[in-house]
Amino acid sequence: MESLIHTTTYGDILRLTGPEWILVMTALVVLAASFIRSSSSTEPCSTRTLTWISLAGTMLAGGVLLFNQPLGIVKGDVFFVSEGTRWVKLGILLLSVLSLWLHLGTEKRLNHQGEFHALLLFAVVGMLLLVGADHLILVFIALELTALSLYVLTGFEKNKSISSQTAYKYFLIGSVSAALLLYGFSLIYGVSGHMHLTDIQLAIASKPTDSLLALGLVMALAGFGFKIAAAPFHMWAPDVYQTAPTPVSSLIASASKVAGFFVLGRFLWGGFAGHAGSIHWTNWTTGWLPLLGLLACLSMLIGNLSALKQTNLRRLLAYSAVAHSGYALLGITSPEPLGPSSVSFYMLTYGISIVGMFGLLQILDQNGGAGDFKSLEGLRFKSGWMAACLMILILSMAGIPPMVGFLAKFNLFIAALKGSSQPMGLILLVVLALGASAVSLYYYLKILKTAFCTDQTEGDHSIQINAYQFTLVSFTVIGVIVLGLFPGPILSRLTHAIGI
Amino acid sequence: MSALGCFLCPSKRPDLSRHLALFGTVISAFVALFCAATYTPIDGNPVVDVTKWNWIPSLGISYYLAADGISIVMVVLTGIASVAAVLFSWNIEDRANEFFGFFLTLIGGVYGVFISFDLFLLFVFYEIAIIPKYFLIAIWGSTKKSYGAMKLVLYSFVGSSMALIGIMGAFIVSGGVSFDLNQLILHPYTPEFQQWAFPVTFIGFVILAGLWPFHTWAPTGHVAAPTGASMLLAGVVMKLGAYGALRVPMTLFPMGAAMWREELALLAAIGIVAGALVALVQNDFKFIIGYSSVSHMGFVLLGLLATTETGLNGAVLQMFSHGILAGLLFAVVGRMIYSRTHTRDINKLETMQLGKQFPFTATVFLIASLASVGLPGFSGFVAELHIITGAWASYSYLALMAGTGVVIGVAYSMRALIRVFWSSDFDSSTPLQTTLPGLTIQEKAGATLLIITSLVVGIYPRLLLDIIAPSLQSPLLKPLLDQGNTL
């Protein structure tokens, strides 16, 4: 890494955080633009313009990241840019672009569009910072930047009481978890005397796990668990998925998860690798790995079993997302480079398919569906294209080849089995995960059955799909298939980049 | 051989989907036959490579298609059975394009499994074959179709998950370098590992082959499925399980096989007898055939678990034979009878004088059931003879059980045959009460194709045995047979 920058000047910091700055500026521009528009004309037609501006900004940030991003560490090791973070950030930006594109397709008009876009962009900035954070304070700030923006966005439809209620619930649970996280961080600081992950690692490597440190870790894990919607910290997810504006749910479900998982992996392996413990089935020692295993088990079981009984599609997706977090936690048990790369790949591909699903749900909503199973009935006859897309996305989430969901999950299991100190140590967790997948296949097939196996009814009218929605869903479907058939290049690049 | 790859991804069929589907299956069947005809082991190694391409290098996964004698036989079976199944699906009017789309995806998956020598790829194809079955049954099926479909898919999925555990285990323990079967076989797996990996993987695969007591998906699934699909299900999909069991756990974990084979062979033998006994008391014509499939697949598994050359030869032959005959039986029941009479209750069928109305059907069923109970001259006889001989060497009491199974098999076949077709003939003075539509040319063609195949193999089994036998000498199966011979 000869081109590595060790910053001394503000100029260098600016260069390292280029994409983040671009997004912040875009957010401000959007905010300003919304005021200009509303004073010159009374038409609320500026929504799409605002979205286009935001999209342009996000893509520009992505371009900078892809072509002109120096690698380096901000002085004091607060923030760093490496090959690995670059790729993960690109993924986050891609998912953000898709979520914004979803907003282009929205026909429902909301007030305060300027704020909406600005907050959305700020949330993305938070996620990007989170990925590069190497310092507990920055981790916390970035998490809060994302979370606070998302709280507001969730409750954006102020006139609906359910919306405010959900946002309030989200905020309450979120702030409690933030408090836990902060308290955990402070305990960790108290024990180790450091705020940098690498320093913490050095400081506590030789010490035995004492109870204060353990308490700090438990609390921090609880805080992160909220972020990635792992059971038992998932209570907010179904409500938020159901009531938040679709682009916001989609952002929460995809990009914010990617960032959350990446930073969790870094936090645990970067700071506390020596205190991992072991969950080998014959050799169980204390540490954070057993905790992680517990979270994974609970998420897979609670998520899948609760999803069985859901009738609302968004709630079902939320519970299935909890289960997916459980699978991804398996990957976290494996150190670099296999663990983070498989988890990132998994969350990215899962993000793509979930954004596509939200696109389909948005189409259904706009055609008068209530978002439950009933709105899917006869979909095969109303729109063959939608039904086919639904099938591919659902099968990908269920982990059926040749869609990418299978490969990502497989890769995750391999990482979990290979990564732990003794090979095959996590076999019981993997067995549980496979069993849980069988349970999930039941409700996924139930969705497809409703769409495909109901008879044609009289009075069905065809479904209106606008061009934005069509391109979005098609893009995700193609992505899911192409990545499934040719995952080689991306997978090895990701593994390589994170390995550096 | 690589031409088969072209059929792995069928495009959505337009209105002429039937002809396209027929065309596709016929072409691939010809390709399969051609391959069988030209198949010669290269340099004494019976595994002939087709394509090899580094698919996902970071995981050691390659797109590696190859074939040995066993694969070739199975591929030929798939070719013939799929052509016949398309012919017997000619009456699908409702959403025909989707039907044949799923249908061809299923067949593509099946072909893929039979010619994959990369375990990851094999598993991918195995899974690809699962999902279309759900839709084929849930959309176009009959009797409790969504229950049958869901049960079948969940059973298959749980089975394949177990198989996946074994495959991942083999990959990790061998160092996590490659999924290539030829590479994996080189790793000496410890007996402790084989002891648990073998039963998990084996049972995972044979759930799909209907091993008792994991067979309950099979009758319900077969009964619920439309004719073409049940022909494929019984004809080739159940073979996937048995083939997978031979190709993966038995090849990789021969010591595990030696440890567990007696228990598992007992299950197989119980399956033979239990399936036959249950078939004896069923009143639904299709359930009779469904349970008879369980019984016949028990023979396949018994042959495999005999782990002798004769046994394996017999198992592969029986897979082929049962694939053809089960297809034929389901075709008779589902298409020739049910779609005309709209009942499968043999008490009702008794009154319909079907023997007079459909002499061709009656003849076909007579031939098929005789062949499947092992009349010399048909494929079933050669296969079951091999299996029983092979099993005799390993465990004589199980061979006796299997023999009993054959006898019961005669009983249920004759019972069905006589009651359905000829019981009302005794009162020949009654005129025909109802006239039902006659047979179509496609049905006759399909039935003839299957009967001829069975006859050819029955009269001249060396046609297949010559292909199978050298493969048993390959380095892949040698450790297994060594284990078998030491006993």
Side-chain angles (χ1 to χ4, degrees):
Chain A
M1 283 207 277
E2 60 280 355
S3 64
L4 204 111
I5 302 176
H6 284 275
T7 47
T8 43
T9 64
Y10 281 110
D12 287 337
I13 295 181
L14 270 180
R15 279 177 62 207
L16 278 180
T17 54
E20 286 83 353
W21 276 114
I22 292 172
L23 283 185
V24 172
M25 296 318 286
T26 318
L28 296 178
V29 168
V30 167
L31 212 50
S34 72
F35 289 127
I36 297 167
R37 277 303 176 114
S38 56
S39 57
S40 60
S41 74
T42 48
E43 291 274 303
C45 70
S46 55
T47 305
R48 289 227 161 105
T49 325
L50 294 178
T51 317
W52 278 116
I53 299 175
S54 320
L55 268 173
T58 319
M59 287 182 184
L60 183 66
V64 167
L65 203 55
L66 192 57
F67 298 112
N68 190 23
Q69 172 74 60
L71 307 176
I73 300 170
V74 174
K75 186 174 166 101
D77 294 351
V78 177
F79 180 85
F80 72 102
V81 180
S82 72
E83 274 294 317
T85 63
R86 253 180 72 188
W87 284 96
V88 175
K89 281 179 186 173
L90 266 179
I92 290 175
L93 286 177
L94 171 71
L95 293 173
S96 313
V97 166
L98 290 178
S99 298
L100 278 169
W101 197 265
L102 201 59
H103 192 59
L104 273 181
T106 318
E107 272 151 23
K108 198 158 54 177
R109 292 267 152 73
L110 294 171
N111 291 324
H112 304 289
Q113 278 304 316
E115 287 90 335
F116 184 89
H117 287 92
L119 283 168
L120 211 120
L121 291 172
F122 282 138
V124 178
V125 172
M127 295 170 202
L128 295 188
L129 283 176
L130 196 54
V131 169
D134 203 23
H135 189 279
L136 292 186
I137 294 290
L138 186 62
V139 169
F140 184 75
I141 291 175
L143 266 177
E144 282 305 283
L145 176 57
T146 315
L148 286 171
S149 314
L150 290 178
Y151 300 148
V152 182
L153 286 171
T154 304
F156 218 80
E157 293 174 61
K158 280 194 303 194
N159 42 359
K160 283 204 302 195
S161 68
I162 182 85
S163 171
S164 315
Q165 186 193 331
T166 305
Y168 199 58
K169 187 174 177 183
Y170 188 27
F171 170 69
L172 275 182
I173 303 178
S175 46
V176 170
S177 85
L180 283 179
L181 189 72
L182 202 57
Y183 191 48
F185 282 177
S186 67
L187 287 178
I188 291 169
Y189 176 64
V191 173
S192 67
H194 292 283
M195 287 297 228
H196 297 125
L197 287 174
T198 31
D199 293 342
I200 294 175
Q201 174 88 290
L202 288 175
I204 62 170
S206 50
K207 291 185 191 170
T209 315
D210 65 1
S211 48
L212 260 186
L213 181 67
L215 190 63
L217 266 174
V218 170
M219 292 199 158
L221 263 182
F224 282 119
F226 160 82
K227 195 73 217 154
I228 56 175
F233 312 107
H234 65 286
M235 300 302 182
W236 55 272
D239 292 327
V240 170
Y241 276 46
Q242 190 182 1
T243 44
T246 310
V248 177
S249 318
S250 131
L251 195 72
I252 293 176
S254 58
S256 90
K257 289 270 180 71
V258 176
F261 269 101
F262 189 79
V263 76
L264 176 60
R266 255 202 70 67
F267 173 74
L268 290 175
W269 285 107
F272 304 93
H275 296 259
S278 157
I279 37 174
H280 190 278
W281 58 327
T282 55
N283 170 26
W284 187 295
T285 52
T286 44
W288 50 262
L289 264 179
L291 272 180
L292 213 58
L294 186 69
L295 281 185
C297 286
L298 283 175
S299 306
M300 290 189 280
L301 288 176
I302 295 181
N304 278 323
L305 295 179
S306 316
L308 284 179
K309 295 203 73 175
Q310 300 304 318
T311 50
N312 183 293
L313 291 172
R314 287 170 197 250
R315 292 189 83 85
L316 189 149
L317 281 182
Y319 279 110
S320 90
V322 174
H324 281 281
S325 291
Y327 305 136
L329 278 172
L330 285 186
I332 299 272
T333 59
S334 169
E336 286 188 344
L338 262 185
S341 72
S342 66
V343 173
S344 307
F345 186 69
Y346 185 78
M347 290 321 293
L348 280 178
T349 51
Y350 171 73
I352 291 176
S353 49
I354 194 103
V355 173
M357 274 305 294
F358 275 112
L360 288 175
L361 286 174
Q362 189 188 54
I363 300 175
L364 284 176
D365 284 355
Q366 283 172 10
N367 285 276
D372 52 8
F373 273 92
K374 213 169 159 31
S375 58
L376 281 176
E377 273 173 21
L379 185 67
R380 163 66 190 82
F381 301 103
K382 292 181 196 161
S383 163
W385 172 81
M386 263 181 85
C389 291
L390 180 76
M391 180 191 281
I392 289 167
L393 291 175
I394 287 281
L395 289 182
S396 177
M397 285 201 258
I400 302 292
M403 270 61 81
V404 71
F406 167 72
L407 189 106
K409 211 184 259 180
F410 182 81
N411 193 24
L412 209 56
F413 292 161
I414 290 286
L417 289 177
K418 224 176 178 178
S420 48
S421 46
Q422 283 156 295
M424 304 297 287
L426 293 183
I427 185 79
L428 289 182
L429 274 179
V430 172
V431 169
L432 182 73
L434 283 167
S437 311
V439 175
S440 73
L441 189 66
Y442 175 79
Y443 58 77
Y444 285 133
L445 278 180
K446 222 167 69 176
I447 297 179
L448 292 182
K449 185 184 136 195
T450 320
F452 277 84
C453 306
T454 40
D455 292 326
Q456 196 161 13
T457 47
E458 285 302 310
D460 276 352
H461 41 84
S462 64
I463 283 185
Q464 302 293 320
I465 303 165
N466 63 39
Y468 300 112
Q469 292 161 340
F470 182 79
T471 43
L472 174 86
V473 178
S474 303
F475 178 82
T476 57
V477 166
I478 292 170
V480 160
I481 294 178
V482 169
L483 279 176
L485 290 180
F486 306 104
I490 290 208
L491 204 53
S492 43
R493 200 158 296 171
L494 204 59
T495 315
H496 178 71
I498 288 176
I500 290 177
Chain B
M1 268 312 267
S2 53
L4 288 179
C6 306
F7 296 98
L8 302 181
C9 311
S11 52
K12 272 285 163 206
R13 304 285 134 173
D15 260 358
L16 291 168
S17 47
R18 279 175 228 170
H19 289 100
L20 262 171
L22 183 62
F23 180 71
T25 47
V26 167
I27 294 282
S28 51
F30 269 114
V31 173
L33 280 174
F34 175 75
C35 296
T38 55
Y39 166 75
T40 41
I42 299 166
D43 303 332
N45 183 2
V47 181
V48 178
D49 289 9
V50 183
T51 51
K52 196 166 182 179
W53 170 59
N54 260 350
W55 187 18
I56 309 166
S58 58
L59 282 174
I61 296 169
S62 54
Y63 188 85
Y64 177 27
L65 299 181
D68 66 357
I70 300 170
S71 328
I72 294 270
V73 171
M74 301 318 293
V75 166
V76 170
L77 165 68
T78 312
I80 294 173
S82 58
V83 172
V86 170
L87 285 174
F88 279 105
S89 305
W90 217 252
N91 61 337
I92 301 280
E93 296 292 345
D94 186 26
R95 298 159 75 180
N97 57 338
E98 284 172 71
F99 179 86
F100 287 107
F102 285 124
F103 202 80
L104 291 191
T105 315
L106 173 58
I107 296 172
V110 172
Y111 272 127
V113 171
F114 288 142
I115 56 174
S116 298
F117 269 65
D118 182 281
L119 291 192
F120 179 83
L121 189 63
L122 184 140
F123 187 80
V124 165
F125 282 124
Y126 197 82
E127 292 265 296
I128 290 177
I130 290 181
I131 295 300
K133 288 186 290 190
Y134 179 83
F135 292 100
L136 285 175
I137 297 175
I139 300 180
W140 292 277
S142 52
T143 326
K144 292 213 282 186
K145 55 185 179 181
S146 46
Y147 167 75
M150 190 61 97
K151 188 168 171 182
L152 182 147
V153 168
L154 289 184
Y155 263 82
S156 321
F157 193 79
V158 169
S160 67
S161 302
M162 289 170 70
L164 183 63
I165 291 171
I167 293 177
M168 289 196 296
F171 172 70
I172 302 275
V173 170
S174 70
V177 182
S178 166
F179 276 97
D180 183 345
L181 194 61
N182 296 321
Q183 301 281 323
L184 287 176
I185 192 81
L186 299 176
H187 184 84
Y189 295 98
T190 59
E192 292 77 39
F193 176 70
Q194 297 200 8
Q195 190 178 11
W196 69 262
F198 176 77
V200 168
T201 321
F202 187 83
I203 291 179
F205 275 113
V206 295
I207 282 180
L208 203 56
L211 175 73
W212 188 88
F214 309 107
H215 65 285
T216 58
W217 64 268
T220 46
H222 286 143
V223 169
T227 307
S230 40
M231 288 175 71
L232 274 190
L233 261 186
V236 291
V237 174
M238 286 179 91
K239 310 307 176 280
L240 287 184
Y243 174 85
L246 173 63
R247 185 61 83 209
V248 184
M250 297 186 72
T251 306
L252 286 180
F253 314 129
M255 277 187 267
M259 290 177 218
W260 288 92
R261 58 184 200 148
E262 219 155 321
E263 290 80 355
L264 291 167
L266 180 65
L267 290 184
I270 293 178
I272 295 177
V273 177
L277 282 176
V278 177
L280 196 56
V281 295
Q282 291 298 320
N283 276 330
D284 186 316
F285 203 0
K286 221 169 173 180
F287 264 114
I288 298 180
I289 315 292
Y291 277 104
S292 85
S293 281
V294 174
S295 175
H296 287 296
M297 287 307 292
F299 275 102
V300 173
L301 298 176
L302 185 62
L304 289 181
L305 290 163
T307 53
T308 54
E309 232 168 282
T310 331
L312 289 186
N313 265 327
V316 179
L317 267 185
Q318 171 79 345
M319 283 197 240
F320 187 87
S321 152
H322 179 250
I324 299 291
L325 296 173
L328 196 56
L329 291 171
F330 275 113
V332 170
V333 177
R335 181 80 169 89
M336 294 184 175
I337 293 181
Y338 178 66
S339 67
R340 293 185 169 76
T341 62
H342 302 290
T343 177
R344 293 188 305 252
D345 186 342
I346 57 173
N347 294 319
K348 287 190 185 139
L349 291 173
E350 248 181 337
T351 61
M352 291 188 181
Q353 297 172 316
L354 292 171
K356 266 189 190 154
Q357 293 206 36
F358 305 120
F360 183 81
T361 311
T363 318
V364 170
F365 191 75
L366 174 69
I367 295 174
S369 46
L370 285 180
S372 73
V373 300
L375 185 75
F378 288 97
S379 50
F381 170 71
V382 198
E384 288 182 6
L385 188 66
H386 270 94
I387 290 170
I388 294 180
T389 327
W392 185 269
S394 305
Y395 352 79
S396 40
Y397 65 101
L398 292 182
L400 282 179
M401 271 176 90
T404 325
V406 176
V407 176
I408 308 175
V410 178
Y412 68 73
S413 301
M414 291 308 120
R415 168 176 172 265
L417 185 66
I418 291 171
R419 288 192 60 182
V420 172
F421 290 104
W422 286 303
S423 65
S424 47
D425 274 11
F426 300 120
D427 186 13
S428 53
S429 58
T430 351
L432 291 180
Q433 290 152 344
T434 45
T435 39
L436 300 166
L439 296 180
T440 61
I441 183 80
Q442 288 88 4
E443 291 170 5
K444 287 186 178 169
T448 316
L449 173 71
L450 294 176
I451 290 176
I452 289 179
T453 315
S454 173
L455 253 179
V456 168
V457 175
I459 293 172
Y460 194 63
R462 286 197 51 191
L463 209 59
L464 293 182
L465 283 176
D466 280 351
I467 301 180
I468 302 170
S471 304
L472 299 180
Q473 305 301 334
S474 78
L476 289 180
L477 289 173
K478 200 157 178 322
L480 179 70
L481 290 173
D482 288 348
Q483 289 286 343
N485 293 333
T486 53
L487 256 126

